[in-house]
Amino acid sequence: MQPVDRYGFNVPLPHVGAYRDCARADLKDSEMWRAKWNGLMRQASSGYGGTPSGAASLARSLYGRVPPEHRPQLWLTSSGAIAAMRASRVSYWELSRQAHGAESVHTKQVDSDLPRTFPQHPFFATDSAVRQALRRVLVTYSRYNASVGYCQSLNFIAAVFLLVADEEGAFWLLVALCARVLPDYHTHQMRGLRVDTSLFAAFVPHCLPALTTHFSTHEVPIEILASQWFLCLYANVLPTPTLLRLWDAILSGSGFDAMVAAALVPLRRYESRLLQERDVAGVYAVLAELTPTMWDADKLILDMQNCMAHFDASCQRRKEMQRQRETRRFEKLESLLKESEFVLADLVAMGVLPQSLCSTNMATMSSSLSAPPREVLSRTCLDVHVDSHGLKQLLQPCLVRPLSDAQLDMLFNALDTNHTGLLS
């Protein structure tokens, strides 16, 4: 009989030995780490009250080993999911009730993807309670973040969240991931993903010059390879225990740095095999064969740390990547606003952008708004919930020049600080 891991995924027969070796190693130290985490988490308030200082940094470390019973609270608090839940004036269950009242194109997309979401897992292979919860989470999110709706790979990410947290927790984790941890990845334009994969592709030559040259010679696109990993957060790549250990780091503050380090590890570890391949298909086949064998989560974290220590000991390249990342996001925002007189000062004044990003003197910048949006809303919409279409109707008369639908959607998302899909 084929064994399954503790989260219900089948362990491929060729991997059983590696799986059992790692399981025995984890069991050997599990009581020590459980006692450490128990003592640490006792400092936190009950329920999802928070995590004590040091928990997130421990989770990011080589010695993190978060026990499964503490992982939900760690993820929810460290990612900002609990903060988003408490900031929302509408509960998840009310949002879910509203979302399931009407069909939409996003609902159809969700229903189409459900059978393709971990089809070998018993929780998702049939119309089980967990699969129904997955549908509710995805459909609710599609209404909650109406400008995005539903995006590829959210089904796999939400499914993993449901294996760790309850349904409400999984929803707010999805919200925090998309809004705070890895913003602009799971959107129609995927701007954040495109920025980050291009930065990763520029970073790889410093780390693996021979492999970079080989990939260039045989037209293997590093950006596309990275995008497949980044978009699903490795959910379709790594064995579950290793995946969750990586997500401990990502959701506890490492974010993009952990994504980059995790992408470097298989490229470095299997470089000799990859150098033998002469086309894209061969490279993908090697990685598809070998990445699922990475059962040793400790080794992954150690290799991630060694990669960064070896290739970027001073952290200067990571700091430069972060600077470029913010610069490119800012440039895209400028590009979005370029065709109108809706200027950056308006965004700064509304708190959409920090004032430090606005290089031009605020006093010299003319605004295209004849009345501040918040003032318009407070004057016109008392006790009224306004969706993105309603905001358009309210703001267009206040603008010297009309904004495009894309610009209005961006403004609505910025004003919708509670991410409810409604302004009030």
Side-chain angles (χ1 to χ4, degrees):
M1 183 177 179
Q2 188 173 14
V4 297
D5 64 28
R6 67 174 300 143
Y7 290 93
F9 289 97
N10 291 328
V11 178
L13 291 178
H15 303 173
V16 170
Y19 163 70
R20 287 177 175 164
D21 288 344
C22 292
R24 279 194 294 267
D26 287 343
L27 185 62
K28 180 180 178 181
D29 297 331
S30 63
E31 290 308 312
M32 178 187 71
W33 285 108
R34 181 167 282 104
K36 185 176 181 65
W37 276 96
N38 286 345
L40 192 62
M41 300 302 276
R42 272 197 294 269
Q43 301 173 31
S45 54
S46 60
Y48 291 148
T51 53
S53 61
S57 59
L58 179 60
R60 295 193 300 267
S61 75
L62 173 62
Y63 306 104
R65 294 207 180 176
V66 182
E69 62 267 28
H70 293 309
R71 185 166 275 131
Q73 184 171 347
L74 175 75
W75 285 10
L76 286 158
T77 53
S78 298
S79 67
I82 287 299
M85 180 178 72
R86 289 176 175 168
S88 177
R89 294 187 297 274
V90 184
S91 72
Y92 163 70
W93 300 108
E94 177 59 20
L95 290 169
S96 180
R97 186 191 66 78
Q98 294 172 4
H100 285 75
E103 293 292 312
S104 70
V105 63
H106 303 304
T107 306
K108 294 177 181 178
Q109 291 174 332
V110 169
D111 287 336
S112 176
D113 274 357
L114 283 176
R116 295 192 284 265
T117 307
F118 299 130
Q120 304 305 316
H121 195 291
F123 286 173
F124 302 109
T126 60
D127 194 26
S128 66
V130 178
R131 181 159 151 178
Q132 291 172 18
L134 176 61
R135 184 182 189 277
R136 286 192 296 270
V137 167
L138 294 172
V139 170
T140 303
Y141 183 79
S142 73
R143 185 182 188 278
Y144 176 88
N145 192 350
S147 66
V148 173
Y150 175 72
C151 176
Q152 60 178 304
S153 293
L154 289 181
N155 53 323
F156 293 105
I157 294 169
V160 175
F161 282 152
L162 279 168
L163 294 177
V164 172
D166 60 20
E167 181 177 338
E168 183 178 25
F171 172 78
W172 292 112
L173 281 167
L174 193 62
V175 169
L177 176 77
C178 296
R180 180 176 179 271
V181 180
L182 296 169
D184 303 325
Y185 270 42
H186 301 92
T187 62
H188 294 306
Q189 300 299 323
M190 296 183 179
R191 288 192 177 96
L193 178 71
R194 296 208 309 269
V195 167
D196 287 354
T197 53
S198 67
L199 289 174
F200 174 73
F203 184 56
V204 172
H206 299 289
C207 309
L208 302 166
L211 187 63
T212 302
T213 300
H214 182 74
F215 279 0
S216 177
T217 300
H218 297 288
E219 299 182 336
V220 177
I222 294 178
E223 286 186 45
I224 294 177
L225 175 63
S227 70
Q228 294 176 349
W229 289 347
F230 286 13
L231 192 62
C232 70
L233 274 68
Y234 301 88
N236 292 330
V237 178
L238 297 172
T240 318
T242 309
L243 175 72
L244 298 183
R245 186 75 177 278
L246 174 60
W247 282 25
D248 290 341
I250 292 171
L251 295 171
S252 295
S254 289
F256 175 59
D257 284 353
M259 300 280 281
V260 167
L264 284 175
V265 168
L267 296 181
R268 188 187 191 195
R269 189 183 293 184
Y270 307 124
E271 183 176 14
S272 60
R273 280 283 305 273
L274 294 170
L275 288 171
Q276 298 174 24
E277 301 304 323
R278 294 293 181 265
D279 55 33
V280 174
V283 168
Y284 281 24
V286 168
L287 292 171
E289 173 193 350
L290 295 178
T291 51
T293 68
M294 299 170 65
W295 285 93
D296 192 336
D298 284 347
K299 182 169 176 53
L300 173 69
I301 301 299
L302 179 61
D303 285 353
M304 287 168 59
Q305 294 178 353
N306 287 342
C307 274
M308 288 310 189
H310 181 74
F311 298 125
D312 191 24
S314 65
C315 299
Q316 290 305 307
R317 288 200 176 104
R318 271 171 284 178
K319 289 177 181 177
E320 177 61 17
M321 287 173 72
Q322 180 67 24
R323 188 194 66 76
Q324 290 186 34
R325 196 170 182 242
E326 294 308 317
T327 298
R328 292 192 192 184
R329 290 179 189 278
F330 186 57
E331 288 171 350
K332 287 186 179 295
L333 182 57
E334 285 187 307
S335 175
L336 186 62
L337 298 175
K338 185 169 60 177
E339 296 180 358
S340 84
E341 294 178 13
F342 184 66
V343 294
L344 297 173
D346 299 321
L347 297 180
V348 174
M350 290 183 293
V352 177
L353 284 177
Q355 188 163 353
S356 60
L357 283 181
C358 192
S359 56
T360 308
N361 189 315
M362 292 281 292
T364 66
M365 297 181 73
S366 62
S367 173
S368 64
L369 295 174
S370 59
R374 288 290 189 192
E375 182 181 336
V376 172
L377 289 175
S378 62
R379 188 172 62 233
T380 314
C381 311
L382 293 177
D383 300 321
V384 176
H385 294 290
V386 180
D387 60 13
S388 57
H389 177 73
L391 180 65
K392 178 189 293 188
Q393 301 305 311
L394 284 168
L395 287 187
Q396 289 291 22
C398 304
L399 297 171
V400 176
R401 289 174 59 185
L403 298 178
S404 68
D405 287 345
Q407 291 166 332
L408 281 165
D409 284 344
M410 182 203 67
L411 176 59
F412 179 84
N413 289 337
L415 291 172
D416 183 18
T417 54
N418 289 329
H419 300 288
T420 61
L422 295 170
L423 303 179
S424 59

Short mmCIF file of all heavy atoms in Angstrom, two decimals, residues 4 48 64 72 138 156 328 335 364 418:
data_model
loop_
_atom_site.label_atom_id
_atom_site.label_comp_id
_atom_site.label_asym_id
_atom_site.label_seq_id
_atom_site.Cartn_x
_atom_site.Cartn_y
_atom_site.Cartn_z
N VAL A 4 1.16 7.61 2.77
CA VAL A 4 0.78 9.01 2.62
C VAL A 4 1.49 9.81 3.71
O VAL A 4 1.81 9.29 4.78
CB VAL A 4 -0.74 9.22 2.72
CG1 VAL A 4 -1.46 8.50 1.60
CG2 VAL A 4 -1.27 8.75 4.07
N TYR A 48 -6.11 33.18 18.30
CA TYR A 48 -5.25 33.80 17.30
C TYR A 48 -4.81 35.17 17.78
O TYR A 48 -4.74 36.14 17.04
CB TYR A 48 -5.99 33.95 15.96
CG TYR A 48 -6.28 32.65 15.26
CD1 TYR A 48 -7.41 32.49 14.49
CD2 TYR A 48 -5.42 31.56 15.38
CE1 TYR A 48 -7.68 31.30 13.83
CE2 TYR A 48 -5.68 30.37 14.74
CZ TYR A 48 -6.81 30.25 13.96
OH TYR A 48 -7.07 29.08 13.31
N GLY A 64 13.95 26.20 12.89
CA GLY A 64 12.55 26.58 13.12
C GLY A 64 11.67 25.42 13.55
O GLY A 64 11.13 25.38 14.64
N PRO A 72 -0.80 27.16 12.36
CA PRO A 72 -1.89 28.09 12.00
C PRO A 72 -1.72 29.46 12.65
O PRO A 72 -1.83 30.49 11.99
CB PRO A 72 -3.15 27.37 12.48
CG PRO A 72 -2.79 25.92 12.49
CD PRO A 72 -1.34 25.88 12.88
N LEU A 138 -12.37 30.52 -2.46
CA LEU A 138 -11.98 31.11 -3.74
C LEU A 138 -13.07 32.02 -4.30
O LEU A 138 -12.78 33.11 -4.82
CB LEU A 138 -11.64 30.02 -4.74
CG LEU A 138 -10.40 29.18 -4.40
CD1 LEU A 138 -10.26 28.01 -5.36
CD2 LEU A 138 -9.14 30.04 -4.43
N PHE A 156 -4.37 26.22 -5.72
CA PHE A 156 -3.38 25.39 -5.03
C PHE A 156 -2.95 26.03 -3.70
O PHE A 156 -2.79 25.35 -2.69
CB PHE A 156 -2.17 25.16 -5.93
CG PHE A 156 -2.47 24.32 -7.13
CD1 PHE A 156 -2.57 24.89 -8.39
CD2 PHE A 156 -2.65 22.94 -7.02
CE1 PHE A 156 -2.86 24.11 -9.50
CE2 PHE A 156 -2.94 22.16 -8.12
CZ PHE A 156 -3.04 22.75 -9.37
N ARG A 328 10.79 49.82 -9.67
CA ARG A 328 10.01 49.35 -10.82
C ARG A 328 8.51 49.41 -10.54
O ARG A 328 7.72 49.75 -11.43
CB ARG A 328 10.42 47.92 -11.20
CG ARG A 328 11.84 47.85 -11.75
CD ARG A 328 12.11 46.50 -12.36
NE ARG A 328 13.52 46.31 -12.63
CZ ARG A 328 14.02 45.25 -13.25
NH1 ARG A 328 13.21 44.29 -13.66
NH2 ARG A 328 15.32 45.14 -13.45
N SER A 335 3.47 55.14 -14.79
CA SER A 335 3.01 54.87 -16.14
C SER A 335 1.50 54.79 -16.20
O SER A 335 0.86 55.27 -17.16
CB SER A 335 3.63 53.56 -16.65
OG SER A 335 3.10 53.21 -17.91
N THR A 364 4.29 72.24 -5.38
CA THR A 364 4.34 72.66 -6.77
C THR A 364 3.52 71.76 -7.68
O THR A 364 3.43 72.00 -8.87
CB THR A 364 5.78 72.67 -7.28
OG1 THR A 364 6.27 71.32 -7.30
CG2 THR A 364 6.67 73.53 -6.41
N ASN A 418 -9.94 47.96 3.79
CA ASN A 418 -10.40 46.75 4.48
C ASN A 418 -10.57 45.58 3.52
O ASN A 418 -10.92 44.46 3.94
CB ASN A 418 -11.75 46.99 5.19
CG ASN A 418 -11.59 47.89 6.39
OD1 ASN A 418 -10.55 47.87 7.03
ND2 ASN A 418 -12.61 48.70 6.69
#
